[in-house]
Amino acid sequence: MAGGGMAALGVKTERAAQYKGRMTLAVAMTCLVAAVGGAIFGYDIGISGGVTSMDPFLEKFFPVVFHRKNSGGKNNYCKYDNQGLAAFTSSLYLAGLVASLVASPVTRNYGRKASIVCGGVSFLIGAALNVAAVNLAMLILGRIMLGVGIGFGNQAVPLYLSEMAPAHLRGGLNMMFQLATTLGIFTANLINYGTQNIKPWGWRLSLGLAAAPALLMTLAGLFLPETPNSLIERGHVEEGRRVLERIRGTADVDAEFTDMVEASELANTIEHPFRNILEPRNRPQLVMAVCMPAFQILTGINSILFYAPVLFQSMGFGGNASLYSSVLTGAVLFSSTLISIGTVDRLGRRKLLISGGIQMIVCQVIVAVILGAKFGADKQLSRSYSIAVVVVICLFVLAFGWSWGPLGWTVPSEIFPLETRSAGQSITVAVNLLFTFAIAQAFLSLLCAFKFGIFLFFAGWITVMTVFVCVFLPETKGVPIEEMVLLWRKHWFWKKVMPADMPLEDGWGAAEGNNHK
């Protein structure tokens, strides 16, 4: 259907000031439990780096890397350069990319809960295969099943959180996903630190413990309520209103309910969401769905999170010291996400993204300078410079944790109209996983080739993304999710891109005068 024909459907009037409701126990519980999906994602990010630095694991599955690591004759930057070892990490994300596209129609047609359950079951299967792996094929198959779980979980959980949260608290509550992700990373680092000395099967314990949050996620998907948006979209209008009243803690939900009904009327006219998302009227959201997750990965954060023990060992840290350093960075990431949760709905998304970007650029350049001047192919960092590198990397992780970490997920999950929301989230997840796969597969080779220049490579990308936010991202703070479509018409650039026949309601933007900036 053409853009002009759709103007008569969808949210037509700004009703944000009429929204009622508060933070209820139902919202708190659903957000906490649903965010377990983020914990599993984080656990799988954090666990692989520690496991791939454990000698019993390397000796069993990657003997070439094991002998190179312990021979002492290889370039420090190139000890772990092995495509098979990189595939152990990256295969998960390639599988997640494919699964996220399959998850979109499941999420739209059967509800957010269905995708959460599918993700949980896939995680359980993957954890079982990894803990019992006897050869590389079984190990990779387990990682692929974990990737399927990530594809479904990352597609459904951010949507679930955005739709359950009240508009004025959506930013902070939606960050429960990222907070849980950082907690999962931190937990994985702690577990690796403990299991490294359990030889020869400590790595099996590290990989198998992913089953614990996976079980919780599966049970949560079975017992949590469906979101009112999804219920209304699938024709269960009265049930949708009952759930809305329960999660808002009031029967006075007419304004929000009307927005949902109007949005679902438009959503139900769309037979092909992926085709519809390519139309000019959806161009701003599509650009954000591609750029935000791509930029999030191009900060270089996953290189540190995936390969923190490997990276620190390459810099001359001993085995225990490298795992301890990765535990420290995991703790910093978790703590910094709390800062973002407390400030995102007061300061807004733009300020956090820009300030975090500037700090990350400075930190990447400092690390590159230290490594370029004091570390080489055959020489180690002194103790004082090693401490300095860890401190600066922690400052980098701190900046990422309050900015691009949570907001790289939050912004895309809150900007799409209902008719393209599942498709938009699938694109976000797919792009994130595509770039995650590429960086995971290429990083060890890039580290070998670029040496300290790898940090300047990422600093350049952070510069690009910071400028992008300044120029192209409007402030979404406080804008109801069903009225987000009206925001782009106020932006200096996007209003030139969107069709001229889309009506703009009088008075929109008065409450959020800076949204067009």
Side-chain angles (χ1 to χ4, degrees):
M1 188 177 293
M6 288 185 181
L9 296 175
V11 177
K12 296 176 278 292
T13 304
E14 187 268 313
R15 303 183 181 91
Q18 304 171 44
Y19 278 26
K20 305 295 182 182
R22 54 186 171 80
M23 181 65 185
T24 62
L25 180 61
V27 171
M29 291 302 297
T30 54
C31 290
L32 282 171
V33 178
V36 172
I40 305 176
F41 184 40
Y43 189 86
D44 286 319
I45 289 175
I47 209 68
S48 59
V51 166
T52 53
S53 71
M54 295 181 186
D55 282 349
F57 176 83
L58 291 175
E59 187 174 17
K60 183 173 182 62
F61 297 106
F62 304 99
V64 173
V65 179
F66 173 74
H67 292 302
R68 184 192 300 163
K69 172 188 173 184
N70 292 287
S71 67
K74 186 74 174 177
N75 184 317
N76 282 325
Y77 284 109
C78 302
K79 288 181 179 179
Y80 293 90
D81 182 16
N82 181 275
Q83 289 301 299
L85 182 62
F88 166 73
T89 298
S90 65
S91 58
L92 182 148
Y93 303 99
L94 184 60
L97 189 161
V98 176
S100 67
L101 300 177
V102 176
S104 175
V106 174
T107 303
R108 187 183 188 202
N109 297 325
Y110 299 98
R112 287 38 167 166
K113 287 178 55 176
S115 284
I116 292 175
V117 171
C118 288
V121 172
S122 298
F123 275 122
L124 287 171
I125 296 172
L129 287 170
N130 275 172
V131 77
V134 295
N135 53 48
L136 184 58
M138 191 172 177
L139 189 71
I140 297 296
L141 180 59
R143 294 288 289 179
I144 289 173
M145 289 306 301
L146 290 173
V148 172
I150 282 179
F152 275 89
N154 285 14
Q155 209 279 338
V157 172
L159 279 186
Y160 188 91
L161 294 172
S162 285
E163 293 179 346
M164 294 294 282
H168 65 289
L169 298 173
R170 188 182 63 245
L173 291 179
N174 201 21
M175 284 185 183
M176 289 299 298
F177 180 78
Q178 176 65 16
L179 180 67
T181 300
T182 61
L183 180 60
I185 293 170
F186 179 51
T187 302
N189 290 332
L190 285 176
I191 288 172
N192 281 334
Y193 187 70
T195 59
Q196 65 174 325
N197 295 318
I198 305 176
K199 299 178 179 179
W201 53 270
W203 62 270
R204 293 187 186 273
L205 182 60
S206 290
L207 295 176
L209 285 175
L215 179 61
L216 183 57
M217 178 176 167
T218 305
L219 294 175
L222 292 173
F223 295 106
L224 287 174
E226 185 57 87
T227 70
N229 312 66
S230 178
L231 289 168
I232 294 170
E233 181 183 16
R234 292 182 289 128
H236 307 292
V237 179
E238 293 305 317
E239 184 181 356
R241 178 166 185 124
R242 286 195 297 270
V243 171
L244 183 62
E245 291 177 355
R246 184 163 76 249
I247 64 176
R248 296 294 178 258
T250 177
D252 188 8
V253 294
D254 290 342
E256 187 171 4
F257 178 71
T258 300
D259 275 354
M260 290 182 182
V261 171
E262 289 183 355
S264 72
E265 289 173 353
L266 176 56
N268 289 327
T269 68
I270 306 300
E271 296 181 3
H272 306 288
F274 282 100
R275 186 185 305 168
N276 181 264
I277 209 171
L278 298 175
E279 294 183 0
R281 67 191 189 89
N282 289 318
R283 193 63 46 77
Q285 298 96 316
L286 178 60
V287 170
M288 295 302 160
V290 172
C291 290
M292 294 298 290
F295 286 152
Q296 184 193 57
I297 303 306
L298 288 171
T299 60
I301 187 65
N302 279 7
S303 303
I304 293 173
L305 299 180
F306 288 156
Y307 298 115
V310 169
L311 187 62
F312 285 127
Q313 283 190 15
S314 297
M315 293 177 187
F317 290 68
N320 287 344
S322 66
L323 281 170
Y324 180 78
S325 298
S326 65
V327 169
L328 180 61
T329 56
V332 170
L333 182 60
F334 174 72
S335 302
S336 61
T337 306
L338 295 174
I339 297 174
S340 190
I341 290 175
T343 58
V344 66
D345 286 316
R346 290 189 294 110
L347 299 180
R349 284 63 161 156
R350 284 170 51 88
K351 289 182 180 178
L352 294 180
L353 288 168
I354 293 169
S355 62
I358 292 171
Q359 182 168 322
M360 285 191 289
I361 294 168
V362 173
C363 291
Q364 293 275 28
V365 171
I366 290 174
V367 171
V369 169
I370 292 175
L371 295 183
K374 300 296 181 180
F375 183 72
D378 55 357
K379 62 181 180 180
Q380 308 293 332
L381 285 175
S382 67
R383 177 178 175 81
S384 59
Y385 281 109
S386 295
I387 293 172
V389 167
V390 171
V391 169
V392 176
I393 286 179
C394 284
L395 290 174
F396 168 83
V397 171
L398 180 72
F400 176 85
W402 83 54
S403 60
W404 281 91
L407 293 173
W409 290 109
T410 297
V411 171
S413 74
E414 67 184 3
I415 61 175
F416 280 95
L418 184 61
E419 70 270 16
T420 55
R421 193 168 300 155
S422 292
Q425 185 65 14
S426 281
I427 292 172
T428 298
V429 174
V431 171
N432 181 283
L433 294 175
L434 175 62
F435 278 80
T436 301
F437 164 75
I439 294 297
Q441 187 65 36
F443 177 73
L444 295 177
S445 296
L446 289 175
L447 179 63
C448 182
F450 288 0
K451 301 178 174 56
F452 66 88
I454 190 68
F455 294 96
L456 297 178
F457 170 79
F458 288 124
W461 279 110
I462 300 170
T463 302
V464 171
M465 64 187 72
T466 303
V467 173
F468 175 86
V469 170
C470 291
V471 176
F472 295 113
L473 181 66
E475 181 55 68
T476 60
K477 178 186 71 173
V479 182
I481 194 169
E482 304 301 347
E483 297 178 4
M484 199 70 68
V485 66
L486 304 175
L487 174 65
W488 304 101
R489 295 291 295 172
K490 296 291 291 183
H491 189 272
W492 73 271
F493 176 80
W494 296 119
K495 68 182 180 181
K496 302 174 184 177
V497 174
M498 300 176 74
D501 58 353
M502 289 185 64
L504 178 64
E505 297 299 321
D506 293 337
W508 168 253
E512 290 288 336
N514 65 339
N515 280 351
H516 65 286
K517 297 178 181 177

